[in-house]
Amino acid sequence: MKVDILMATYNGEKYIGKQIESIIEQTYKDWTLYIRDDASNDNTMIIVRQYAGNYPGKIKFIVNSENSGSPKANFFKLIKNSKADVIFTCDQDDIWEKDKIELTLKAFEGESKPLLVHTDLKIIDEKDSILCESMVKSQHIDITRTGLNKLLVQNIVTGCTMAFNRELADILIEPELIPVHDWWIAAVASAFGNIRYIDKSTIRYRKHMNNACGPQNMNNPHYVVSRARDKCKAKKMLGLGYVMAAELLEKYKMPYKYNRMLKDYSAMAQKNKLQKFAVIFKYGIWKSGILRKAGQLWFM
């Protein structure tokens, strides 16, 4: 299978060399790395150009003339131009395990429907020391929650571990209002195909002060309390689920079984508490775990 690896970069000079090296060292060799820089103002472009010059058949470098506004927009530009059998999305500051591509590709064998594959990950700090052996376990992520009703309220797919096939790539439409690519792609995969999980860490995700977003310690009481107090953020995240439902209806001819649910959920912002609860209960649009469910009911 021909593989494209898509990396969106912006001011990543500190760690990007290690990420590129980890891709070069992959056991599976039939890949091309496409790096699109979002108008960095540090040395990222100099570093990437050096690698592209050293590996002209493997690394392709594209520079945006101006900042696209988000990693999501940058990724979708890359996806649009890819023709590979399988596409991997890649952050600029992580480290891939040597068998990541080889292991992930096995999950695509014999699949003709749109398919997204994702994996577990380890968390490392700025000095490459391991902070956590499994994000799925530390975050209490229920990877079986692949139904569209579950994904509307809680994403289970971490974009930097994600890969998807040509069948899924061909139907992807960039969302206008959803700010992240992985959540949207997971929802489309759920609606029109399948999501598979590999129970192994295939990357070392770097947690540092410049992360746009990242995993938090769900067992830390201070984090739980801070989330409970952050009413605006909680409402915003629930609201994005309502927006996603509306955008899915707008951009796709959805399978009939999802139409009523998406219409009802997209109108949640106009409903009172009792009506919202009725929609959640009717379609099973629940978050996982007692604490997450309690927060969902409190902030909806």
Side-chain angles (χ1 to χ4, degrees), residues 109-166:
E109 293 176 358
E111 183 59 74
S112 59
K113 293 182 178 179
L115 175 63
L116 182 154
V117 176
H118 66 118
T119 76
D120 200 356
L121 58 83
K122 295 177 183 178
I123 302 172
I124 60 174
D125 62 16
E126 296 182 353
K127 297 181 179 180
D128 298 351
S129 298
I130 295 176
L131 301 175
C132 173
E133 290 286 345
S134 168
M135 193 195 78
V136 166
K137 291 178 181 178
S138 70
Q139 297 287 291
H140 308 295
I141 298 172
D142 183 353
I143 50 84
T144 67
R145 292 168 52 88
T146 58
L148 185 57
N149 59 333
K150 309 300 184 185
L151 286 170
L152 285 173
V153 74
Q154 184 179 356
N155 184 27
I156 63 164
V157 174
T158 308
C160 54
T161 75
M162 180 175 69
F164 48 92
N165 61 5
R166 171 50 43 197

Side-chain angles (χ1 to χ4, degrees), residues 23-296:
I23 293 170
I24 293 169
E25 293 172 0
Q26 288 293 299
T27 56
Y28 187 87
K29 300 300 183 183
D30 190 11
W31 54 262
T32 304
L33 171 60
Y34 290 88
I35 303 175
R36 180 182 286 274
D37 188 78
D38 221 0
S40 292
N41 52 35
D42 66 355
N43 291 319
T44 299
M45 287 190 278
I46 295 173
I47 296 169
V48 174
R49 283 195 178 99
Q50 288 175 340
Y51 276 102
N54 291 336
Y55 299 90
K58 303 296 288 181
I59 300 175
K60 310 295 183 182
F61 186 39
I62 308 122
V63 179
N64 289 342
S65 58
E66 58 184 27
N67 191 279
S68 66
S70 71
K72 177 206 73 174
N74 205 0
F75 271 120
F76 268 95
K77 288 179 182 177
L78 286 163
I79 293 169
K80 183 179 180 180
N81 292 317
S82 174
K83 305 299 179 186
D85 301 311
V86 177
I87 295 171
F88 286 71
T89 56
C90 176
D91 285 356
Q92 66 183 4
D93 46 11
D94 302 330
I95 299 174
W96 283 16
E97 305 297 351
K98 291 185 178 181
D99 62 347
K100 172 178 169 57
I101 298 177
E102 182 179 359
L103 180 67
T104 303
L105 288 182
K106 292 178 181 178
F108 288 96
E109 293 176 358
E111 183 59 74
S112 59
K113 293 182 178 179
L115 175 63
L116 182 154
V117 176
H118 66 118
T119 76
D120 200 356
L121 58 83
K122 295 177 183 178
I123 302 172
I124 60 174
D125 62 16
E126 296 182 353
K127 297 181 179 180
D128 298 351
S129 298
I130 295 176
L131 301 175
C132 173
E133 290 286 345
S134 168
M135 193 195 78
V136 166
K137 291 178 181 178
S138 70
Q139 297 287 291
H140 308 295
I141 298 172
D142 183 353
I143 50 84
T144 67
R145 292 168 52 88
T146 58
L148 185 57
N149 59 333
K150 309 300 184 185
L151 286 170
L152 285 173
V153 74
Q154 184 179 356
N155 184 27
I156 63 164
V157 174
T158 308
C160 54
T161 75
M162 180 175 69
F164 48 92
N165 61 5
R166 171 50 43 197
E167 288 78 7
L168 180 53
D170 284 342
I171 64 172
L172 286 177
I173 302 170
E174 182 178 356
E176 297 172 18
L177 300 176
I178 302 301
V180 290
H181 63 287
D182 51 6
W183 190 12
W184 175 262
I185 295 173
V188 175
S190 175
F192 295 99
N194 297 308
I195 297 174
R196 289 180 186 161
Y197 172 72
I198 297 173
D199 189 18
K200 182 178 178 180
S201 294
T202 62
I203 78 164
R204 281 166 273 170
Y205 171 91
R206 191 180 304 279
K207 184 175 181 180
H208 55 85
M209 61 183 300
N210 294 323
N211 287 127
C213 57
Q216 303 295 331
N217 184 0
M218 296 295 295
N219 296 315
N220 187 327
H222 295 291
Y223 173 70
V224 174
V225 171
S226 67
R227 284 298 301 269
R229 289 176 176 174
D230 196 346
K231 181 177 180 180
C232 291
K233 183 175 182 179
K235 283 186 169 292
K236 179 181 179 181
M237 291 308 297
L238 287 173
L240 282 176
Y242 311 156
V243 171
M244 179 179 285
E247 281 218 79
L248 285 170
L249 283 171
E250 177 188 347
K251 296 189 179 301
Y252 290 97
K253 183 178 181 180
M254 297 297 295
Y256 177 79
K257 61 182 178 179
Y258 297 128
N259 283 335
R260 187 72 262 171
M261 175 184 73
L262 292 173
K263 288 178 181 177
D264 288 347
Y265 200 65
S266 66
M268 286 283 277
Q270 287 75 51
K271 299 180 185 296
N272 60 39
K273 281 269 189 179
L274 185 60
Q275 291 170 327
K276 289 178 179 177
F277 179 78
V279 171
I280 292 171
F281 187 82
K282 179 179 180 180
Y283 299 109
I285 309 176
W286 291 104
K287 289 193 172 190
S288 64
I290 295 174
L291 284 176
R292 288 186 174 111
K293 284 185 175 72
Q296 179 183 358

